[in-house]
Amino acid sequence: MNEFVYNLAIWLDDTQWSTMLHESYYMYNWVESTHVLTLMLSLGMLFLIDLRMLGYALPEVSASKLAARLNVPMLVGFALMFITGILLFYAVPVRTAQSLWFRIKMLLLVACAINALMFHRRMNQSVGSWDLEPRAPGSLRWGAMLSLVFWSFIVICGRFIAYDWFDCSPSSSGFIADLSGCIDGQTRF
Amino acid sequence: MPVSFFSTWTRTLMAAAVIALAVWGLYGNMASAVYPFLLGFFEWMETTWFGVIGKTWGAAFAFVEAIHLLGLAVLGGCVIASDGRLLGLLLTDVDASTLFDRTHRVFVWALSVLIFTGVFMACGVATKIYYLPVYWFKMLALIAGILFHFFIRRPLLQHELDELNPVVTKLVAVASILVWLMVAATGRWIGFSG
C-alpha cells in the first residue's frame, strides 16, 4: 500500500503542472491562502451550527432552520477547500503523501464525514421535539462536540503538515516512519 | 426609534477623523518618526515568556497557530452569517436583531482568542515581523476592522433594520466582509513573507 501511494505520488510529481504549481510563487500561495481562508466559510458555518446544538450560540433560533440555511454556504466552503486541498497535494505530492499529519488528517476527515451523516440522520428523526430548545438532546450534543473536536484536530494537523518534524529521510525507521509510509530505498524525500 | 441625525454624524465624523489620522500616520512624518522607536519594543517582545516559548518550542507555536485559525473560522462564521443576513442572502427568515446580538457575542469571544493567540505568535517572531510591511498592513486592517465593528456597525445595528437605509446596511455588510477578509488574507501572507 505504501509503495503504491509512493509510486502514485512520484507519478504526480513528474507531471509538468505539478512542478509549475509548486514553483509558482503567487499561484501556490493563492491556492494555499484560499484553502485557509475558506475556513471562515466552511468551518465558520459548521461551528455556528455545532455551537447552536450545544447551546452556546443563537439559542433562540430554531436549530433545524439554522442548520438548513447555513448548509449551502458551508458546502460551498467545503467544496472550495476540497478543490484547493487537492491542488495543494498535487503541488507537493511525495512529501505530503508521506506526511504523518496528512495521514491523520485524512483519517479524521473520514471520521468527520461519518459523524456528519449520523448527526443529520439523528437530527432529521428527532427535530420536531426540541427544535426551539436552547440545547439539542444528548446524542446530538455528542455529535456536535465530536464535530468540533475532529475539525479542530484537522486544522491542527493541517497546520502541522507545514513543519518537517517527521518527514521521511534516508535514515527514517521505526513506528513513526511506518505510520508516515516511508519506504526502504525511496529516492525522493 | 428613528436614527438620530446627530449621533449618526458624530460617528461618521469620528470615523473620518480616524481614517485621516491613519493616512497622516502612514504618509506623513509620524510613521517614519515612530517606526525606529518600535524596534526596541519588538525586541523586548521576544524576551517575554510568550516570545521564549514561541521561539523555543516549534510545536507550541504551530499549535497556537492552529488555535488562531480556529478563532478565525468562528469569527468568519459570525461575520458571514450576520452580514449575509444584512445582504438578504442568508437566514432571511430569522429575526435580525436576535441574530446580530447573538453572533456579536460569539464574535467577541472569537476576536479575543484571535488577539491572544496573535500576540503570542507575534512575540515568537517579533523582530521578523517588525520588518514586514504586510504585518503592518494587517495591524491597520485589524484596527480598522475593530473600530468599524464596534463603533460603526454595532451601534448602527442596534436599530431595527427597517429604520435603516437598505443601501447603507448593504454597504456596511460588504465593508465588514471585506475588512475581515483583508485581516485574514494579510495574516496569511505574513507566513509567505520574510
Side-chain angles (χ1 to χ4, degrees):
Chain A
M1 180 66 179
N2 282 333
E3 250 178 76
F4 170 75
V5 172
Y6 176 69
N7 288 329
L8 180 70
I10 291 280
W11 176 71
L12 288 172
D13 198 37
D14 284 339
T15 59
Q16 189 188 4
W17 284 85
S18 172
T19 310
M20 284 165 66
L21 186 56
H22 180 64
E23 292 185 357
S24 162
Y25 176 75
Y26 284 107
M27 194 61 189
Y28 184 81
N29 288 352
W30 272 113
V31 171
E32 199 185 39
S33 298
T34 307
H35 189 69
V36 174
L37 295 188
T38 42
L39 277 176
M40 295 167 86
L41 188 59
S42 53
L43 289 196
M45 301 292 102
L46 180 70
F47 284 177
L48 274 187
I49 296 170
D50 288 338
L51 291 173
R52 164 66 185 87
M53 299 299 162
L54 295 169
Y56 295 122
L58 302 153
E60 299 95 342
V61 178
S62 151
S64 61
K65 192 188 277 182
L66 189 77
R69 303 296 181 271
L70 297 187
N71 222 15
V72 174
M74 180 181 75
L75 291 176
V76 170
F78 278 125
L80 280 170
M81 283 188 93
F82 190 65
I83 293 166
T84 49
I86 287 174
L87 287 172
L88 288 176
F89 179 85
Y90 180 55
V92 194
V94 177
R95 181 180 175 267
T96 311
Q98 294 183 318
S99 160
L100 175 67
W101 305 113
F102 176 76
R103 290 177 171 222
I104 296 173
K105 185 178 175 180
M106 291 301 108
L107 284 177
L108 286 169
L109 278 174
V110 173
C112 273
I114 295 168
N115 183 52
L117 284 174
M118 289 169 62
F119 179 86
H120 276 281
R121 186 176 298 170
R122 275 193 227 122
M123 194 173 88
N124 291 336
Q125 283 169 352
S126 67
V127 73
S129 56
W130 59 270
D131 201 24
L132 292 169
E133 296 289 322
R135 295 203 308 168
S139 63
L140 284 167
R141 287 208 305 276
W142 269 108
M145 184 63 84
L146 277 178
S147 166
L148 286 172
V149 171
F150 285 159
W151 277 106
S152 298
F153 276 105
I154 285 172
V155 171
I156 290 169
C157 287
R159 194 53 249 166
F160 280 13
I161 291 171
Y163 293 85
D164 60 358
W165 299 317
F166 299 116
D167 275 8
C168 295
S169 69
S171 57
S172 294
S173 63
F175 182 62
I176 297 289
D178 289 342
L179 283 181
S180 305
C182 306
I183 59 171
D184 288 336
Q186 79 175 77
T187 52
R188 293 187 207 182
F189 296 97
Chain B
M1 189 179 77
V3 178
S4 154
F5 178 86
F6 179 73
S7 64
T8 306
W9 279 98
T10 306
R11 279 194 291 273
T12 308
L13 289 173
M14 274 175 62
V18 168
I19 292 167
L21 196 68
V23 170
W24 178 66
L26 265 181
Y27 297 104
N29 291 328
M30 194 176 83
S32 51
V34 171
Y35 186 66
F37 290 105
L38 288 174
L39 180 59
F41 176 70
F42 277 71
E43 285 171 341
W44 170 80
M45 282 168 76
E46 284 200 356
T47 65
T48 61
W49 275 81
F50 280 179
V52 173
I53 293 169
K55 283 192 337 177
T56 312
W57 291 291
F61 189 85
F63 182 76
V64 174
E65 273 183 317
I67 304 299
H68 194 70
L69 287 178
L70 290 168
L72 179 71
V74 176
L75 183 135
C78 295
V79 168
I80 292 168
S82 54
D83 288 329
R85 174 71 176 84
L86 278 179
L87 290 169
L89 299 173
L90 270 178
L91 299 163
T92 47
D93 49 358
V94 172
D95 177 59
S97 57
T98 306
L99 182 70
F100 298 146
D101 186 48
R102 288 296 178 174
T103 50
H104 173 73
R105 294 183 196 192
V106 183
F107 175 93
V108 170
W109 275 103
L111 185 63
S112 308
V113 170
L114 279 176
I115 291 174
F116 182 77
T117 52
V119 168
F120 177 91
M121 291 192 300
C123 287
V125 287
T127 49
K128 177 191 159 190
I129 56 175
Y130 172 80
Y131 295 103
L132 292 179
V134 71
Y135 168 76
W136 295 104
F137 286 130
K138 168 160 179 155
M139 288 302 106
L140 279 178
L142 179 65
I143 292 166
I146 291 172
L147 290 176
F148 180 77
H149 183 89
F150 289 97
F151 294 105
I152 296 177
R153 185 181 182 278
R154 176 86 178 136
L156 193 74
L157 297 182
Q158 298 289 313
H159 304 281
E160 292 298 325
L161 260 191
D162 51 13
E163 293 173 1
L164 301 169
N165 184 329
V167 177
V168 171
T169 57
K170 284 180 172 51
L171 284 175
V172 164
V174 170
S176 169
I177 290 172
L178 286 178
V179 76
W180 291 110
L181 192 65
M182 179 70 81
V183 173
T186 47
R188 185 66 206 101
W189 216 260
I190 290 173
F192 299 135
S193 313

